[in-house]
Amino acid sequence: MANPRIQLTAVVNHQSSSVEGATPIEKLNVDLLWHIFTMNADMDAPIDSNIPYNARSGTRRVAFSPLTVTWRSSQVCRFWRDIILGSPSLWGRVVDLGVLKYMDEEWREEMLCRTGTAFLCIKFLDCDESAFTKFDVEFAAFLASLLENEWPRINKLNITIPVPIDDPVKDVIRRATQRPAPHLQSFRLHCYSLNYSQQQPPLFSDDAPSLREFHGINFNLQSPWLRNIRIIELSFPSTFSDVLSVLKQMPFLTTLVLHHDIPPLKNTEISSAQIYLPHLATITISHDVRTCVAFLNTLIPPPGCKLFLRTPRWSTRPLEPVPDITHAELPAVQTVLSRYLHAYFEAAKNSEQLSLDVTRTSLILCVYSHSNHSSSSPSSQDFDIAIHSQEAQDATFISFFLRSLSHCRLTSIKMLDLSIHPCSLDPSCASFIQFLLAFGAVEVLRPSLYALQTIKNLQVHAPTKSIPPNNILFPQLRTIRFRHVREGIATDDSVLAFLSWRRDIGLPIQVVDFITSPWNPRPCDMRRLFSAAEMAGVMVWWKEGEMKRQFLCGSVKKRIKEKGKSETRR
């Protein structure tokens, strides 16, 4: 395959002979330019939706496709053009069929010619079913030809076709994917009505030594390439017994994704034997809660393993209603969730925010972490459990879940988002109190109004056996942040009572923040809020349109901040 560094030597001489009198951008080192062009050629990178663009250039996906960016970069100047046209591997990285389908046959052939003998990364994510009802015949022929003629040098294949395709095209796709794939590293294929059976020749002829990532279609459960897989997504109509059989063959697996298409787990498939995958970092599973719990019980999560578990709100199979969890099964649910939560928090050093939303029919827990590199970087979701019930549950279910979390090591959590709906649990139950006591390091609380009332009432009225005298709920709490507020909440008696209680115990709230809420305060609300005795010394933040305002209650000065500028008014 082509070596880009060797092919770039020809343009180095051109650069050295034209530095004098050149503009700053023309003085960029060839290696630096090559690095920039390579970054722009990454088809896995997300497209920033905030970048402005001209709609006449086509859709945003086409205008900012790595293929489009590489092509336009090659027309900036002769120096850049020499680098890009002399680098087949760049063109091999940007075979975006979603762009090429709008091009004529001559340009498609030219683009493939520019790839030389380099490895190919092929992508086609045409999810706009309203654009057409059947796959374009001419473009289908191009896709079939590409797979048939270039299969041996394909490095990454990511194709999703949500509309019917002709049988001849299906046959070409089947034949191509049944050939050996010596350089294939990532394979993702989702095609409407394209099915594989165990009676057909095995996928990749069981010869894919470089394959590390697999998504989609059925395959031979004994395929030798399974041993090297790091990422796998399974959605075909198999059984959980088959899934467990496959997992035993993948000692290096890091990411596992299971979809609801797999039939529910049967009692005959449940095994007492457990599987340990030491490198497993992420599990994503979407199914009914009984199946999820039984399957997760067969795995031993390594420290730091992230879990994304979602149960459906309703059945996708009309004749198969989603089974609700029974009281007899709650201890098993608690045991499994405790194991995964403890494994995650055992190594989760950067987890700073936890969100819990409890209703009578659902429980949603999310954990967020910040990057190691920058404290100001956006938080990422690391753990997500969303359990939905078809019928309203009593407080027992929530209590069992809270027990799973109350003994975890939560010292890294600095922000707690707590939304509790009345009647969803018994606030005085021991499991809820132990849950709250576990958040000793929380500095920012984002509560629902009922949660705020509950916290204050528990501390004041709970018996000492529930909350020992030396234990204070949220001893580090300094900021209350409201996300969704109703009219008048700022002067609600429960809010003022909470602030008064915190001041009386020597742990006053310093900031009350309404900025992230859509609340538009009335002048009378603000006057009462600022003048309330409970608010003395509290900084209030709120937003009016695009203007951020802050006011230190009890002072005579109001500071207004707008778009990074500030001024003081009397």
Side-chain angles (χ1 to χ4, degrees):
M1 298 298 171
N3 186 333
R5 297 305 302 271
I6 295 177
Q7 295 186 2
L8 285 177
T9 55
V11 298
V12 174
N13 294 332
H14 167 82
Q15 184 195 35
S16 60
S17 63
S18 58
V19 168
E20 293 185 5
T23 61
I25 196 170
E26 292 176 319
K27 297 179 182 179
L28 288 178
N29 182 274
V30 171
D31 289 333
L32 179 57
L33 280 172
W34 167 254
H35 180 66
I36 294 172
F37 296 150
T38 302
M39 291 177 61
N40 289 340
D42 182 6
M43 290 199 294
D44 294 329
I47 296 175
D48 189 347
S49 60
N50 296 319
I51 300 178
Y53 84 108
N54 190 337
R56 290 180 294 180
S57 302
T59 65
R60 181 179 295 275
R61 183 161 57 88
V62 172
F64 293 106
S65 163
L67 173 55
T68 305
V69 172
T70 300
W71 169 59
R72 292 189 182 279
S73 298
S74 71
Q75 298 178 330
V76 169
C77 65
R78 172 59 60 184
F79 182 40
W80 286 22
R81 186 171 180 81
D82 288 343
I83 295 176
I84 294 174
L85 292 187
S87 307
S89 61
L90 274 180
W91 296 96
R93 294 168 184 256
V94 295
V95 186
D96 189 342
L97 303 185
V99 177
L100 289 175
K101 81 171 187 176
Y102 296 109
M103 306 300 178
D104 55 31
E105 183 178 357
E106 182 180 357
W107 167 242
R108 293 173 188 165
E109 294 301 326
E110 170 62 22
M111 194 272 168
L112 283 180
C113 181
R114 292 181 180 184
T115 66
T117 58
F119 293 140
L120 301 181
C121 298
I122 299 175
K123 179 179 180 180
F124 184 59
L125 304 180
D126 206 326
C127 300
D128 185 8
E129 298 184 39
S130 61
F132 47 79
T133 58
K134 194 171 183 180
F135 204 49
D136 180 79
V137 176
E138 179 187 355
F139 186 70
F142 171 73
L143 172 61
S145 173
L146 180 65
L147 293 178
E148 197 161 25
N149 298 328
E150 309 296 344
W151 178 259
R153 63 187 182 113
I154 293 179
N155 183 254
K156 292 184 179 181
L157 184 71
N158 185 0
I159 294 180
T160 296
I161 305 175
V163 294
I165 54 179
D166 293 332
D167 289 339
V169 180
K170 292 181 186 177
D171 292 339
V172 170
I173 294 176
R174 287 195 188 96
R175 286 199 305 271
T177 55
Q178 289 164 358
R179 295 162 59 189
H183 304 295
L184 186 65
Q185 291 188 1
S186 176
F187 180 84
R188 186 192 297 262
L189 179 62
H190 299 281
C191 292
Y192 182 91
S193 70
L194 177 64
N195 299 315
Y196 284 71
S197 69
Q198 296 290 350
Q199 287 71 38
Q200 294 175 330
L203 202 62
F204 317 130
S205 294
D206 280 343
D207 184 10
S210 302
L211 191 61
R212 299 294 182 268
E213 184 174 350
F214 182 90
H215 305 259
I217 59 179
N218 208 343
F219 59 89
N220 176 13
L221 299 179
Q222 303 299 321
S223 297
W225 46 264
L226 284 171
R227 178 172 178 77
N228 297 320
I229 291 294
R230 270 61 170 175
I231 301 173
I232 192 165
E233 178 182 356
L234 301 176
S235 59
F236 56 85
S238 184
T239 65
F240 273 95
S241 292
D242 292 338
V243 173
L244 294 175
S245 174
V246 168
L247 292 181
K248 293 177 182 178
Q249 304 175 59
M250 296 187 288
F252 304 108
L253 188 68
T254 62
T255 303
L256 170 65
V257 181
L258 300 177
H259 291 292
H260 63 268
D261 298 338
I262 302 175
L265 189 67
K266 300 177 181 178
N267 291 334
T268 55
E269 297 181 87
I270 299 177
S271 172
S272 58
Q274 292 187 314
I275 302 172
Y276 181 61
L277 302 170
H279 304 285
L280 190 60
T282 303
I283 302 174
T284 301
I285 180 170
S286 302
H287 226 293
D288 66 84
V289 63
R290 185 176 301 162
T291 297
C292 290
V293 168
F295 174 76
L296 292 172
N297 194 41
T298 64
L299 302 179
I300 302 175
C305 182
K306 303 174 184 178
L307 175 64
F308 297 86
L309 183 157
R310 289 196 170 270
T311 66
R313 293 179 182 271
W314 50 79
S315 176
T316 56
R317 302 180 177 91
L319 301 180
E320 299 180 25
V322 178
D324 265 345
I325 201 74
T326 65
H327 280 263
E329 295 169 316
L330 286 177
V333 175
Q334 179 189 340
T335 300
V336 170
L337 293 183
S338 292
R339 188 197 311 162
Y340 280 83
L341 286 165
H342 277 267
Y344 169 73
F345 281 108
E346 183 180 342
K349 298 179 180 179
N350 296 317
S351 299
E352 296 186 353
Q353 179 181 349
L354 186 144
S355 173
L356 179 66
D357 190 323
V358 178
T359 71
R360 294 196 67 189
T361 59
S362 66
L363 185 149
I364 302 175
L365 169 74
C366 300
V367 182
Y368 303 87
S369 68
H370 287 280
S371 167
N372 286 320
H373 306 294
S374 173
S375 59
S376 61
S377 61
S379 58
S380 61
Q381 195 171 12
D382 274 4
F383 205 96
D384 184 7
I385 297 177
I387 299 178
H388 302 283
S389 175
Q390 306 304 302
E391 299 180 0
Q393 298 282 344
D394 59 25
T396 309
F397 174 73
I398 305 302
S399 297
F400 267 93
F401 178 84
L402 293 178
R403 291 176 197 168
S404 306
L405 191 61
S406 59
H407 298 294
C408 292
R409 187 172 178 270
L410 303 175
T411 55
S412 65
I413 301 298
K414 305 298 182 183
M415 178 185 294
L416 176 63
D417 192 335
L418 187 60
S419 179
I420 304 173
H421 297 256
C423 304
S424 60
L425 57 79
D426 177 7
S428 62
C429 70
S431 59
F432 182 60
I433 294 174
Q434 291 302 315
F435 166 78
L436 296 179
L437 287 172
F439 293 96
V442 164
E443 300 172 359
V444 180
L445 180 65
R446 303 173 68 180
S448 64
L449 187 58
Y450 181 72
L452 199 67
Q453 294 171 333
T454 301
I455 293 169
K456 184 255 183 182
N457 291 338
L458 278 176
Q459 187 75 65
V460 174
H461 302 296
T464 55
K465 64 179 181 179
S466 299
I467 303 180
N470 294 331
N471 285 12
I472 300 294
L473 296 178
F474 309 120
Q476 302 298 322
L477 181 62
R478 297 295 181 267
T479 300
I480 300 292
R481 182 172 296 162
F482 292 99
R483 180 191 297 174
H484 303 293
V485 298
R486 59 173 173 76
E487 191 69 26
I489 190 175
T491 54
D492 191 287
D493 290 339
S494 59
V495 175
L496 297 179
F498 183 88
L499 296 174
S500 177
W501 161 64
R502 295 291 298 191
R503 185 186 59 190
D504 292 343
I505 64 175
L507 298 172
I509 299 299
Q510 297 175 354
V511 177
V512 175
D513 186 351
F514 295 102
I515 284 182
T516 57
S517 73
W519 177 54
N520 291 314
R522 298 173 300 179
C524 60
D525 286 337
M526 300 310 296
R527 283 196 298 270
R528 182 185 172 192
L529 179 66
F530 296 154
S531 62
E534 297 87 348
M535 295 295 297
V538 176
M539 180 70 72
V540 179
W541 285 86
W542 76 101
K543 194 173 182 180
E544 294 180 5
E546 295 301 318
M547 185 178 294
K548 296 180 181 179
R549 297 179 178 268
Q550 69 176 21
F551 177 67
L552 181 61
C553 297
S555 70
V556 295
K557 295 182 179 180
K558 182 192 297 185
R559 179 171 296 166
I560 301 175
K561 287 191 174 182
E562 180 180 9
K563 297 180 182 179
K565 298 179 180 179
S566 65
E567 58 177 329
T568 302
R569 295 183 180 178
R570 293 188 179 272

